C-alpha cells in the first residue's frame, strides 16, 4: 500500500558520510533519516538495495545486496551483501514502512566508492629524495628535551600522456608528513594539512580524489609538495616520503595506473623549512615557474629514489578533513615600534594568515609571528607558545604584487606581528584563515543569559581550535598533542555541537593502535610522546568516547569493533588494583584552582572512580553485545570496587582522601609534594580542613555522587558536605579541576540544586568561566588563573569545556533518553533569571528541538521529535495553580491524570512538533 503522507528517507550516509570515496571496509555502515506528515510515526521495516550500476538500481534491482523487507526499527545498519570490489562505484537506496505498514517511495540514489581495500592493490612504491636538506633546532626547555629536525619541502613531478577518452580518474595519495597535490598546475581538493595524524608505523591514511575532470587527453603532469608535519625523526619517523597511485579508467572500460616509482622527478623549491610548531619559510625567489605543468622541462631535476615504507598499513579512513573553514578580517592594527605592525583579530583561533605585498624589491624578508597575548605596550607576548616559534617568513620575489599564505604549519593566536613589510601595511593587507577539522556544526544553543552565551562562544572556538585530525589539548605551543583526558572530558560537549562520529571513530582506531599487549595506553595518542601507562582519567577515553558514540549515534558497531581492546584495558587496570583500589595516578583532577596537581590529594580516589566507571560501562557494553558471562564478571567486579571504594574513602559525612586527623606531620609531608609558590595557599587550605576535622573537597564528594557510589543512608550527608564546600567555603565558586568540573554541574542538578549550579556558572570572579571572560578570554584557558608567562598556561584549552553539555542537557533541557536518540528527554530548567533557552540538534535521527520561554504568567515550550523516536516532556511546575495546554487543547487541569512529580508534569509524545503551555490561573 502506498500513501502520500510518508516521505522517502533522506540524508543517506555510508560510513556516516554522504557519497564517500575510498570506503575500505568490508562491511560499511549505512544510515538514513525519515520524514512523515503524521505525528507518532515509527519505522517498522526497511529495505536497502545496493547495485553495481545506475541502470540496475533504477530498475530496483539490488544485484549486490537486497535486504528485502526487514522488520526492524534500526536506521544504522551494517552492509552484509556480496564481497565488495576495490575502486568500484556502488549505488544504493532505501525505503521504509511506517506504523500502519505504509511503504515509502525509495530514497534518491546515493553512491559509495570503495578504496584500494588491500595492500596488494597498491602498485605504487614509496618514494623520497636521495638526500635531504634539513636543520636541527634545539630550543632550551622543549618538552622531553626533544630537538626538531626540520627538512626542506621536496617537490615531485611526473608527466604522462593520455590518448583515449577518460570515463573516470582517481588519485590515491599519502604524502608524509603532509602533502599538497597538483594536476596540470591546478591544486586538487580543498584539504589542508592532510593526511590526518596517526602513528605512521601502524597506520597511514591515504586520501582519494576524483580527478576525472583534471586529467585530459594529451600530456598531463602531477605535482606534489611534501611537508614535515608529525613525520619527524624525533617521534621515531623519517624524512618526508610519498606514495601515489592514479587510476585512469577509459570509456572502453580499460584501465591504466600511473604510480609513484623511481621515474618520478624531484627537487627543492620555495618552501624550505616547515614545521607545525615553528612555522614555514617561503622564499619567493626560489619558485619554479610551471613546475607542475605538462610541458615543464624537468631534465635538471633528479630522480626520486625508493623509500623505506613507513611501516603502517594504508587505510582510507572516511572522516572530515582539515580545511580552511572561514576567512576573517583583523579588527585593529597598530605599530608599537617603528617597522613593527601588530594586528588583532579579536578572537583566539587556529590557522594562519594570508598576506598581500606590493613591492618591486626582491629578497625582502617579511616575518609574521603569532601570539595569543600582547603586553601593555602593545608588543606581542609569545610566552604561551613556549618554544614554538610560530613564525612564518615570506621572502619577496619583487613582482609588484604578491600574496602568500603557508600550508605546512598552523598557529594558535589572536594577534599577529609583522616585521619587514615593504611600506606600511593596512587592515586590508592581511586576512585570517581559520583552520581545523571541518566537522559539521550540528548543534545550536542560545539563552537569555549573555554570560552563558559568551561561555558557549568561547567553548565553540576552543573546541574547533583543538580538532586537528586528533583532539588536541591546545593549538599554540610546542605540544598540540592528543591528550586523552582533555579528549574524553570534552567529548560530550563536542558531540552536542558538531558531527563527531567520523572524527572519533578515527581516534578510537588511533587509540587501539597505541594499545600495548598488556592493555596499557599512552596519555597522549597518537603516542608521539610515548607516555605509558596513562593516568586512568586519561585512558578512560577509549571506553568513554566509544560509549558516547553509541549513546549519541546509536553506533553499536563501534563497541563491537573495540570490545577486545576495552577488555584488555580493564584487565590492565585490574592488575594495578590488587585491593580494587587504583593508587596509581599522574594528573587526577588536573588544574584545580591554584595548582596543577590536585591539592586535595584526590588522585587515588579519582583513579578508582574511573576504574569503577570503566568496569560498569564495560558491563553495559557486554550486556548489549550479548556477552552474558562477561556481563556477570564485570558487574561483580564493579560491586567489589564499589565496596572497596567506600571502605577506603568514605568517612563519617564525606569522602576524604587522607585520615581525618591531620597531624602537623601529615600536613608537612603533604606539602612536600607541591611547588614552593603554592605552598602558602595550601597551608591555609589544610589548616581550614583540619579544623573541620577532615580532609575533603568538592572533587572528593562530586565523583562518588555522580556514579551513585554513595550508600543510600549517606547521600544526604555527602551532599551537604559538598554544598557547604561550595557555598560556605567558596562562595558559590568551583574548587575543581578538569575532572570534577565535568561532573559537578550534573550532580548538583540531579539532586535538585540546579540553582546552585546556575550561580556557579554566573560567577565573574576568580575562579570561574566569567572571570576568564572578564579578563578578555575569547576561548577557554588551561588554568583558572590568568597566567601570561611560559609554562602550563595556554589560553586556548578545551578541557574545561564540558560545561557546555550541561547547557544543552539542563539549561535548554534536551538529552538522550535511549541510545541513538530513540527516546528524548525534554526537561528544561528555568533557573535564576533565565527567560528563555533554545537548542537545536541535528541528530542521527533528524532534527531535535527545544525552545522555551518564561513570562510572568506563562511558560511555553516548543519541541520537535524526529520520526522513529519518542519524547518524554517535562513541563516545569512554575505556578501554584495552572493549566497545561498543547496547542489549543487543555491536557492538564488541577486533577490531571498525567504523570507528575514535585517539579514537573510529564507527558509522553511520539514524533512531531508540539507547543506546550503552562498557564497560571
Ligand atoms: C598538559 C596538557 C594537557 C593535560 C596534560 C596532563 O601538558 O596541556 O592539557 O592533559 O598536561
Amino acid at each position: 500500500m502506498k500513501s502520500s503522507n510518508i516521505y522517502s528517507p533522506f540524508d543517506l550516509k555510508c560510513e556516516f558520510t554522504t557519497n564517500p570515496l575510498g570506503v575500505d571496509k568490508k562491511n560499511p555502515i549505512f544510515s538514513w533519516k525519515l520524514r512523515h506528515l503524521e505525528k507518532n510515526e515509527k519505522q517498522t521495516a526497511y529495505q536497502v538495495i545496493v547495485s553495481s550500476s545506475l541502470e540496475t538500481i533504477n530498475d530496483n534491482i539490488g544485484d549486490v545486496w537486497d535486504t528485502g523487507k526487514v522488520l526492524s526499527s534500526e536506521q544504522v545498519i551494517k552492509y552484509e551483501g556480496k564481497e565488495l570490489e576495490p575502486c568500484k562505484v556502488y549505488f544504493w537506496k532505501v525505503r521504509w514502512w511506517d506504523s500502519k505498514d505504509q511503504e515509502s517511495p525509495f530514497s534518491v540514489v546515493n553512491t559509495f566508492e570503495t578504496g584500494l581495500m588491500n595492500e596488494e592493490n597498491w602498485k605504487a612504491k614509496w618514494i623520497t629524495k636521495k638526500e635531504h636538506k634539513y636543520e636541527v633546532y634545539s630550543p632550551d626547555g622543549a618538552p622531553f628535551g626533544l630537538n626538531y629536525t626540520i627538512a626542506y619541502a621536496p617537490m615531485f613531478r611526473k608527466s604522462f600522456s593520455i590518448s583515449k577518452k577518460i570515463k573516470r580518474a582517481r588519485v590515491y595519495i599519502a604524502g608524509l608528513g603532509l602533502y599538497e597535490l597538483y594536476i596540470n598546475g591546478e591544486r586538487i581538493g580543498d584539504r589542508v594539512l592532510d593526511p590526518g595524524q596517526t602513528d605512521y608505523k601502524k597506520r597511514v591514511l591515504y586520501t582519494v580524489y576524483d580527478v576525472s575532470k583534471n586529467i585530459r587527453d594529451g600530456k598531463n603532469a602531477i605535482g606534489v609538495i611534501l611537508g614535515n608535519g608529525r613525520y619527524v625523526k624525533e617521534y621515531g619517523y623519517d624524512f618526508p616520503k610519498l606514495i601515489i597511485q592514479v587510476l585512469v579508467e577509459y570509456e572502453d572500460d580499460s584501465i591504466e595506473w600511473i604510480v609513484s616509482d623511481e621515474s618520478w622527478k624531484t627537487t627543492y623549491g620555495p618552501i624550505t623549512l616547515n614545521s607545525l610548531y615553528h612555522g614555514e619559510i617561503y622564499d619567493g625567489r626560489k619558485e619554479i615557474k610551471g613546475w607542475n605543468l605538462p610541458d615543464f622541462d624537468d631534465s635538471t631535476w633528479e630522480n626520486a629514489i625508493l623509500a623505506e615504507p613507513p611501516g603502517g598499513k594504508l587505510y582510507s579512513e572516511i572522516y572530515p578533513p582539515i580545511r580552511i573553514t572561514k576567512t576573517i578580517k583583523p579588527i585593529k592594527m597598530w605599530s608599537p615600534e617603528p617597522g613593527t605592525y601588530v594586528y588583532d583579530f579579536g578572537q583566539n583561533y587556529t590557522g594562519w594568515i594570508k598576506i598581500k605585498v606590493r613591492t618591486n624589491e626582491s629578497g625582502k624578508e617579511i616575518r609574521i609571528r603569532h601570539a595569543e597575548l600582547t603586553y601593555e605596550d602593545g608588543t606581542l607576548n609569545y610566552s604561551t607558545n613556549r618554544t614554538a616559534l610560530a613564525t612564518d617568513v615570506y621572502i619577496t620575489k619583487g613582482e609588484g604584487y604578491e600574496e602568500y599564505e603557508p600550508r605546512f604549519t598552523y598557529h594558535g593566536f589572536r594577534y599577529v606581528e609583522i616585521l619587514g613589510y615593504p611600506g606600511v601595511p593596512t587592515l586590508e593587507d592581511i586576512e585570517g584563515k581559520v583552520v581545523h577539522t571541518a566537522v559539521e556544526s550540528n548543534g545550536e544553543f542560545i539563552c537569555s543569559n549573555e554570560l552563558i552565551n559568551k561561555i558557549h562562544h568561547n567553548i565553540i572556538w576552543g573546541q574547533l581550535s583543538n580538532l586537528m585530525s586528533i583532539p588536541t589539548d591546545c593549538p599554540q605551543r610546542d605540544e598540540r598533542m592528543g591528550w586523552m583526558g582533555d579528549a574524553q572530558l570534552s567529548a560530550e560537549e563536542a558531540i552536542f555541537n558538531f558531527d563527531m562520529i567520523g572524527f572519533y571513530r578515527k581516534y578510537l582506531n588511533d587509540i587501539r593502535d597505541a594499545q600495548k599487549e598488556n592493555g596499557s595506553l599512552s596519555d597522549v595518542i597518537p603516542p608521539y610522546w610515548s607516555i605509558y601507562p596513562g593516568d586512568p582519567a586519561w585512558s578512560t577515553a577509549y571506553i568513554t568516547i566509544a560509549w558516547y558514540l553509541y549513546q549519541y549515534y546509536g553506533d553499536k558497531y563501534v563497541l563491537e569493533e573495540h570490545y577486545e581492546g576495552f577488555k584488555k584495558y580493564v584487565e590492565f587496570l585490574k592488575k594495578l588494583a590488587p585491593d580494587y583500589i587504583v593508587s596509581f595516578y599522574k594528573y587526577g583532577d588536573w588544574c584545580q584552582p591554584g595548582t596543577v596537581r590536585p591539592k586535595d590529594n584526590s588522585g587515588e580516589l579519582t583513579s578508582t572512580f574511573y576504574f569503577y566507571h570503566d568496569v560498569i560501562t564495560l558491563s553495559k557494553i557486554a550486556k548489549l553485545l550479548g556477552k552474558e558471562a562477561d556481563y556477570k564478571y564485570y558487574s561483580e567486579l564493579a560491586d567489589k570496587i564499589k565496596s572497596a571504594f567506600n571502605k577506603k574513602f568514605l568517612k563519617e559525612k564525606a569522602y576524604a582522601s587522607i585520615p581525618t586527623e591531620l597531624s602537623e606531620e601529615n600536613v608537612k609531608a603533604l606539602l612536600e609534594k607541591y611547588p614552593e609558590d603554592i605552598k602558602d595557599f595550601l597551608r591555609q587550605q589544610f589548616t581550614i580542613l583540619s579544623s573541620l576535622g577532615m580532609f575533603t573537597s568538592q572533587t572528593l564528594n562530586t565523583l562518588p555522587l555522580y556514579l551513585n557510589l554513595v550508600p543510600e543512608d549517606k547521600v544526604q550527608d555527602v551532599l551537604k558536605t559538598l554544598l557547604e564546600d561550595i557555598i560556605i567555603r567558596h562562595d558559590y565558586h568551583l574548587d575543581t579541576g578538569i575532572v570534577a568540573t565535568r561532573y559537578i554541574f550534573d550532580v548538583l542538578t540531579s539532586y535538585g540544586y540546579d540553582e546552585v549550579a546556575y550561580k556557579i556558572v554566573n560567577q565573574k570572579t576568580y575562579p570561574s568561566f566569567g572571570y576568564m571572560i572578564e579578563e578578555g578570554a575569547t576561548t577557554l584557558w588551561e588554568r583558572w588563573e590568568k597566567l601570561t608567562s611560559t609554562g602550563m598556561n595556554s589560553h586556548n584549552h578545551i578541557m574545561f569545556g564540558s560545561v557546555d553539555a550541561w547547557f544543552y542537557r539542563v539549561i535548554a533541557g534536551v538529552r538522550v533518553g535511549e541510545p541513538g536518540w530513540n527516546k528524548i528527554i525534554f526537561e528544561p530548567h528555568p533557573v535564576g533569571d533565565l527567560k528563555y533557552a533554545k537548542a537545536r540538534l541535528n541528530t542521527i535521527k533528524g532534527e531535535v528541538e527545544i525552545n522555551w520561554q518564561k513570562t510572568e504568567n506563562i511558560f511555553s515550550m516548543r519541541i520537535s521529535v524526529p520520526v522513529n523516536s519518542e519524547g518524554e516532556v517535562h513541563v516545569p511546575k512554575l505556578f501554584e495553580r495552572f493549566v497545561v495546554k498543547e496547542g489549543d487543547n487543555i491536557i492538564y487541569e488541577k486533577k490531571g491524570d498525567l504523570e507528575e512529580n514535585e517539579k514537573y508534569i510529564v507527558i509522553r509524545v511520539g514524533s512531531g512538533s508540539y507547543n506546550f503551555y503552562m498557564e497560571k490561573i
Side-chain angles (χ1 to χ4, degrees):
M1 187 172 52
K2 282 214 167 102
S3 164
S4 55
N5 58 8
I6 176 167
Y7 290 111
S8 54
F10 70 104
D11 204 8
L12 277 64
K13 302 243 168 110
C14 172
E15 287 293 296
F16 305 100
T17 311
T18 312
N19 301 329
L21 288 184
V23 173
D24 266 354
K25 284 232 196 107
K26 285 197 169 113
N27 307 86
I29 295 167
F30 295 138
S31 60
W32 56 87
K33 292 177 187 167
L34 306 171
R35 256 191 223 122
H36 203 292
L37 274 183
E38 305 292 322
K39 287 183 172 170
N40 293 316
E41 271 308 337
K42 290 225 158 164
Q43 172 187 293
T44 54
Y46 67 81
Q47 180 184 18
V48 168
I49 63 173
V50 181
S51 312
S52 55
S53 74
L54 196 53
E55 295 77 58
T56 349
I57 198 128
N58 284 340
D59 288 340
N60 295 343
I61 299 168
D63 58 331
V64 181
W65 195 35
D66 185 343
T67 62
K69 182 176 175 182
V70 182
L71 299 181
S72 160
S73 61
E74 289 292 336
Q75 282 169 261
V76 181
I77 65 156
K78 210 171 204 175
Y79 173 79
E80 301 285 357
K82 279 190 195 156
E83 193 174 325
L84 297 171
E85 290 166 38
C87 307
K88 210 174 135 70
V89 189
Y90 291 92
F91 302 82
W92 74 287
K93 59 186 183 182
V94 54
R95 63 177 159 178
W96 68 293
W97 284 262
D98 67 10
S99 55
K100 297 183 199 77
D101 204 29
Q102 298 186 113
E103 168 191 311
S104 82
F106 267 113
S107 66
V108 293
V109 175
N110 273 242
T111 59
F112 67 96
E113 184 175 312
T114 45
L116 285 160
M117 294 188 101
N118 276 314
E119 212 68 0
E120 304 91 73
N121 296 324
W122 279 92
K123 301 180 195 327
K125 305 258 164 42
W126 282 96
I127 56 171
T128 186
K129 250 185 133 291
K130 192 164 173 215
E131 269 160 38
H132 294 268
K133 281 195 200 166
Y134 63 93
E135 279 172 28
V136 179
Y137 172 51
S138 338
D140 274 351
F144 299 98
L146 290 179
N147 294 334
Y148 303 98
T149 303
I150 308 176
Y152 284 27
M155 300 157 78
F156 295 83
R157 64 169 268 125
K158 168 84 187 171
S159 53
F160 58 96
S161 288
I162 297 289
S163 53
K164 288 193 277 187
K165 275 235 160 318
I166 292 179
K167 185 156 86 187
R168 179 172 72 126
R170 299 286 185 264
V171 168
Y172 306 86
I173 182 174
L176 294 182
L178 305 168
Y179 71 89
E180 217 173 53
L181 167 68
Y182 295 83
I183 293 183
N184 299 330
E186 213 179 296
R187 167 109 155 76
I188 303 299
D190 60 358
R191 292 170 172 244
V192 297
L193 303 172
D194 204 50
Q197 300 178 30
T198 54
D199 178 357
Y200 308 103
K201 290 187 177 162
K202 300 268 172 65
R203 181 181 300 262
V204 175
L205 300 182
Y206 72 91
T207 303
V208 187
Y209 292 102
D210 178 354
V211 293
S212 312
K213 297 211 170 76
N214 302 85
I215 295 184
R216 51 186 185 227
D217 246 350
K219 247 185 135 190
N220 290 273
I222 304 171
V224 179
I225 317 174
L226 295 183
N228 292 298
R230 294 285 188 189
Y231 197 69
V232 293
K233 301 262 180 207
E234 287 69 24
Y235 302 148
Y237 307 122
D238 199 357
F239 286 117
K241 52 187 65 161
L242 166 71
I243 192 164
I244 175 169
Q245 176 155 327
V246 184
L247 162 72
V248 184
E249 189 182 334
Y250 297 106
E251 297 255 299
D252 64 7
D253 286 340
S254 62
I255 273 181
E256 196 175 328
W257 294 100
I258 293 123
V259 300
S260 50
D261 58 21
E262 293 128 299
S263 70
W264 284 54
K265 293 297 194 95
T266 176
T267 193
Y268 284 121
I271 304 168
T272 57
L273 301 176
N274 63 92
S275 148
L276 287 184
Y277 295 158
H278 306 302
E280 182 178 290
I281 300 183
Y282 189 100
D283 189 341
R285 297 168 304 180
K286 296 189 177 151
E287 273 180 13
I288 307 171
K289 291 258 156 359
W291 71 277
N292 46 20
L293 292 174
D295 289 328
F296 179 79
D297 175 11
D298 57 20
S299 56
T300 58
W301 289 32
E302 64 191 70
N303 276 76
I305 61 158
L306 294 189
E308 183 76 26
K313 255 187 96 171
L314 282 154
Y315 288 95
S316 149
E317 251 172 292
I318 312 203
Y319 72 103
I322 302 176
R323 286 201 180 99
I324 297 172
T325 59
K326 255 195 205 102
T327 297
I328 58 174
K329 297 251 173 226
I331 54 168
K332 251 200 258 166
M333 185 202 117
W334 62 87
S335 173
E337 283 158 12
T340 304
Y341 300 95
V342 172
Y343 288 84
D344 177 5
F345 281 92
Q347 175 63 53
N348 197 334
Y349 71 99
T350 38
W352 52 73
I353 66 152
K354 177 171 172 177
I355 184 167
K356 299 170 190 166
V357 189
R358 283 162 217 84
T359 183
N360 293 320
E361 207 180 316
S362 121
K364 281 236 27 132
E365 201 175 295
I366 304 170
R367 302 182 76 82
I368 309 162
R369 194 156 178 187
H370 305 74
E372 295 186 299
L373 305 168
T374 56
Y375 291 111
E376 282 200 349
D377 64 2
T379 56
L380 250 58
N381 175 355
Y382 334 106
S383 313
T384 64
N385 295 339
R386 292 200 309 220
T387 69
L389 293 176
T391 305
D392 298 328
V393 178
Y394 179 67
I395 303 172
T396 59
K397 297 178 266 189
E399 288 179 349
Y401 178 76
E402 293 163 38
E403 285 183 353
Y404 165 73
E405 64 184 290
R407 72 276 287 141
F408 294 142
T409 187
Y410 75 91
H411 314 290
F413 64 106
R414 169 174 167 173
Y415 302 96
V416 166
E417 168 200 85
I418 298 182
L419 294 179
Y421 190 89
V424 178
T426 68
L427 274 180
E428 304 303 314
D429 290 327
I430 76 165
E431 52 191 29
K433 302 286 182 184
V434 180
V435 177
H436 50 81
T437 295
V439 287
E440 242 173 76
S441 164
N442 254 6
E444 253 175 60
F445 168 87
I446 190 161
C447 71
S448 59
N449 180 317
E450 263 322 295
L451 177 59
I452 290 183
N453 293 338
K454 279 191 189 149
I455 299 171
H456 176 66
H457 166 102
N458 286 22
I459 290 172
I460 295 284
W461 279 87
Q463 182 59 71
L464 290 175
S465 304
N466 283 300
L467 299 177
M468 246 352 133
S469 75
I470 57 166
T472 59
D473 59 331
C474 59
Q476 73 296 83
R477 67 185 181 213
D478 48 7
E479 186 156 1
R480 316 180 195 185
M481 291 289 169
W483 285 96
M484 293 221 284
D486 311 40
Q488 66 102 352
L489 293 166
S490 55
E492 207 182 11
E493 162 273 305
I495 288 170
F496 267 107
N497 286 306
F498 306 105
D499 183 359
M500 295 301 294
I501 181 133
F503 183 90
Y504 284 139
R505 272 186 149 268
K506 181 256 177 199
Y507 191 55
L508 290 171
N509 288 338
D510 295 338
I511 298 177
R512 184 177 42 204
D513 285 350
Q515 188 168 37
K516 294 218 161 142
E517 221 8 81
N518 68 359
S520 135
L521 296 165
S522 165
D523 286 313
V524 156
I525 283 179
Y528 303 134
W529 296 345
S530 160
I531 326 180
Y532 291 89
D535 183 305
W538 270 240
S539 302
T540 185
Y542 194 21
I543 294 177
T544 298
I545 294 178
W547 184 244
Y548 286 147
L549 295 189
Y550 171 58
Q551 293 297 318
Y552 286 93
Y553 300 95
D555 182 5
K556 63 172 187 287
Y557 306 112
V558 79
L559 302 178
E560 274 167 19
E561 286 164 31
H562 292 277
Y563 187 68
E564 288 310 314
F566 301 156
K567 278 178 70 168
K568 259 179 118 178
Y569 173 63
V570 162
E571 285 311 310
F572 172 76
L573 269 186
K574 200 173 153 229
K575 288 212 183 79
L576 290 182
D579 310 318
Y580 306 104
I581 297 291
V582 183
S583 301
F584 160 74
Y585 85 98
K586 290 146 111 185
Y587 325 109
D589 193 17
W590 192 237
C591 294
Q592 293 171 343
T595 169
V596 282
R597 275 178 214 293
K599 61 192 179 197
D600 58 355
N601 211 27
S602 55
E604 206 177 16
L605 179 138
T606 304
S607 287
T608 310
F609 162 87
Y610 276 111
F611 183 29
Y612 180 77
H613 175 276
D614 293 350
V615 170
I616 201 99
T617 310
L618 188 52
S619 77
K620 291 181 197 161
I621 297 173
K623 173 129 203 148
L624 182 80
L625 301 182
K627 309 199 185 269
E628 280 306 320
D630 283 2
Y631 168 65
K632 192 162 169 274
Y633 171 77
Y634 292 116
S635 318
E636 284 171 10
L637 179 56
D639 286 343
K640 287 181 193 141
I641 303 168
K642 186 172 179 170
S643 20
F645 184 95
N646 286 326
K647 201 162 147 224
K648 168 118 197 181
F649 303 111
L650 181 57
K651 306 297 168 211
E652 211 179 315
K653 290 186 165 155
Y655 285 81
S657 59
I658 49 171
T660 41
E661 258 163 300
L662 268 177
S663 65
E664 213 149 288
E665 284 308 279
N666 273 345
V667 172
K668 234 172 128 190
L670 211 59
L671 284 172
E672 281 314 305
K673 294 191 189 169
Y674 295 94
E676 246 353 278
D677 54 342
I678 61 157
K679 275 191 184 159
D680 263 354
F681 176 85
L682 290 171
R683 195 167 292 119
Q684 237 180 342
Q685 193 115 355
F686 289 149
T687 323
I688 305 174
L689 291 170
S690 54
S691 72
L692 287 174
M694 61 168 56
F695 191 85
T696 186
S697 72
Q698 293 180 12
T699 302
L700 289 161
N701 294 305
T702 295
L703 301 189
L705 282 169
Y706 181 79
L707 280 185
N708 299 321
L709 282 157
V710 190
E712 234 170 85
D713 60 334
K714 291 280 185 183
V715 168
Q716 286 312 318
D717 285 341
V718 172
L719 198 57
K720 195 163 163 260
T721 312
L722 173 63
L723 288 165
E724 271 172 14
D725 193 290
I726 295 172
I727 298 168
I728 300 169
R729 291 190 39 226
H730 292 95
D731 189 22
Y732 294 95
H733 288 77
L734 292 179
D735 197 30
T736 48
I738 56 173
V739 171
T741 300
R742 153 74 181 82
Y743 305 109
I744 196 165
F745 296 101
D746 288 329
V747 163
L748 291 171
T749 306
S750 65
Y751 287 101
Y753 294 95
D754 36 15
E755 293 285 352
V756 175
Y758 187 67
K759 268 200 169 167
I760 296 175
V761 158
N762 272 294
Q763 288 298 348
K764 292 188 175 169
T765 50
Y766 169 81
S768 67
F769 299 108
Y771 170 72
M772 298 184 192
I773 289 170
E774 291 286 299
E775 292 296 322
T778 57
T779 42
L780 292 189
W781 299 342
E782 177 175 23
R783 307 282 296 275
W784 290 116
E785 294 75 34
K786 184 176 189 181
L787 299 169
T788 56
S789 55
T790 56
M792 280 261 316
N793 53 6
S794 132
H795 283 241
N796 194 354
H797 248 61
I798 191 54
M799 63 194 190
F800 277 116
S802 53
V803 68
D804 207 51
W806 185 79
F807 294 164
Y808 278 98
R809 282 194 266 98
V810 176
I811 298 270
V814 55
R815 61 180 203 266
V816 167
E818 274 168 25
W821 297 95
N822 271 345
K823 181 168 159 191
I824 306 161
I825 317 266
F826 298 94
E827 188 180 338
H829 288 72
V831 281
D833 56 358
L834 280 173
K835 297 265 176 314
Y836 67 86
K838 178 176 156 178
R840 235 158 43 115
L841 302 169
N842 187 9
T843 71
I844 188 93
K845 282 256 165 10
E847 198 157 289
V848 172
E849 190 189 351
I850 180 162
N851 185 348
W852 65 257
Q853 271 172 41
K854 181 172 106 177
T855 61
E856 215 176 300
N857 300 317
I858 299 181
F859 179 84
S860 67
M861 63 192 273
R862 184 189 156 76
I863 60 141
S864 295
V865 179
V867 174
N868 208 19
S869 175
E870 289 167 14
E872 187 182 292
V873 186
H874 298 237
V875 187
K877 296 202 273 194
L878 295 184
F879 315 111
E880 201 148 315
R881 288 163 47 86
F882 55 82
V883 291
V884 181
K885 293 181 178 169
E886 196 284 299
D888 293 332
N889 303 322
I890 295 185
I891 55 170
Y892 178 98
E893 272 179 295
K894 194 70 205 128
K895 274 215 158 40
D897 50 8
L898 288 174
E899 262 174 71
E900 65 177 292
N901 56 44
E902 213 188 302
K903 286 189 160 176
Y904 293 94
I905 305 286
V906 182
I907 306 152
R908 283 162 212 285
V909 296
S911 65
S913 294
Y914 305 85
N915 290 296
F916 293 100
Y917 303 93
M918 172 168 289
E919 291 178 12
K920 189 172 175 180
I921 49 171

